[in-house]
Amino acid sequence: DSGVTQTPKHLITATGQRVTLRCSPRSGDLSVYWYQQSLDQGLQFLIQYYNGEERAKGNILERFSAQQFPDLHSELNLSSLELGDSALYFCASSVGGGGALDTQYFGPGTRLTVL
Amino acid sequence: AQSVTQPDIHITVSEGASLELRCNYSYGATPYLFWYVQSPGQGLQLLLKYFSGDTLVQGIKGFEAEFKRSQSSFNLRKPSVHWSDAAEYFCAVGVPGSQGNLIFGKGTKLSVKP
């Protein structure tokens, strides 16, 4: 158990819908990262927040957005869902503000299925 | 752009046999290097990491990895595989001075024969 929690564990929805994935980082961690794992693309970095501020952006679609709240939990919002958005979404957290020296601890993931 | 290649999609080894999983990276300098393991239905767990210094790195669960600059490789090894090692293994790189996001390889799935 990494100490990173993600809810829900599974999510099934329809095309065109909007969903919110939630992540609580390890106690004391200030950074939250979101990754998408799909069969064709593998594990891809989406976005990072540090202490409430966006720190780095990866291959995140404009239909996706995220935020980190004052209590440091984070939410990833996916809208206008398409079949290709079906994937496993991981959240990771780290102590510091980023930099590859910061070890990232991963949550168990949320499996999103878009029908 | 940085990239990570794990040439083997699937490897099967017998329990008790030795294991080597390959990882090659593309980057102009020495990146930070990581190996993660993902068991079925689980998140990723860090096995080991290399930042600098001794090129042979020891990790958890009896794993080790060796950084070879000349080959741009960071192969993961274990002398004797246990059935519980069956999982998917991911090599990742982090770029020094970057914001910290990791670039992952596509993974190698390890099956263990009894």
Side-chain angles (χ1 to χ4, degrees), chain A residues 2 4 25-33 48-52 55 68 72 92-106, chain B residues 36 49 99-100:
Chain A
S2 67
V4 179
R26 294 187 321 155
S27 176
D29 284 1
L30 297 178
S31 273
V32 169
Y33 309 75
Q48 177 201 356
Y49 277 81
Y50 171 70
N51 206 20
R55 181 59 70 100
Q68 187 179 27
L72 300 177
S93 73
S94 70
V95 171
L101 276 172
D102 240 2
T103 298
Q104 295 179 30
Y105 295 89
F106 283 74
Chain B
Y36 281 85
K49 58 190 177 187
Q99 292 305 321

Side-chain angles (χ1 to χ4, degrees), chain A residues 20-102:
Chain A
T20 297
L21 312 183
R22 183 188 168 103
C23 169
S24 293
R26 294 187 321 155
S27 176
D29 284 1
L30 297 178
S31 273
V32 169
Y33 309 75
W34 286 97
Y35 290 84
Q36 179 194 58
Q37 185 181 36
S38 62
L39 282 174
D40 53 344
Q41 297 291 326
L43 257 167
Q44 291 211 310
F45 167 71
L46 295 178
I47 197 163
Q48 177 201 356
Y49 277 81
Y50 171 70
N51 206 20
E53 301 288 327
E54 182 183 306
R55 181 59 70 100
K57 217 166 186 176
N59 299 320
I60 189 166
L61 299 172
E62 282 191 14
R63 299 183 286 109
F64 297 179
S65 65
Q67 54 185 327
Q68 187 179 27
F69 295 86
D71 68 351
L72 300 177
H73 91 271
S74 178
E75 293 181 355
L76 179 66
N77 300 296
L78 315 176
S79 60
S80 303
L81 285 167
E82 302 175 359
L83 296 177
D85 298 327
S86 296
L88 193 51
Y89 291 84
F90 284 110
C91 167
S93 73
S94 70
V95 171
L101 276 172
D102 240 2

Side-chain angles (χ1 to χ4, degrees), chain B residues 13-100:
Chain B
V13 300
S14 298
E15 191 166 16
S18 64
L19 170 70
E20 182 168 24
L21 302 182
R22 296 183 291 165
C23 172
N24 293 96
Y25 65 87
S26 173
Y27 178 60
T30 300
Y32 301 138
L33 296 159
F34 306 81
W35 274 100
Y36 281 85
V37 61
Q38 183 181 21
S39 299
Q42 303 293 315
L44 283 80
Q45 182 183 21
L46 180 67
L47 286 175
L48 46 78
K49 58 190 177 187
Y50 172 78
F51 292 153
S52 65
D54 193 345
T55 56
L56 187 62
V57 181
Q58 301 298 320
I60 62 171
K61 304 186 180 188
F63 285 93
E64 66 178 28
E66 186 173 12
F67 168 60
K68 291 186 177 180
R69 186 191 311 273
S70 61
Q71 297 176 20
S72 297
S73 69
F74 188 56
N75 293 349
L76 181 71
R77 301 194 295 246
K78 186 169 185 178
S80 176
V81 169
H82 188 261
W83 64 266
S84 61
D85 293 324
E88 189 149 21
Y89 291 79
F90 292 90
C91 180
V93 302
V95 176
S98 76
Q99 292 305 321

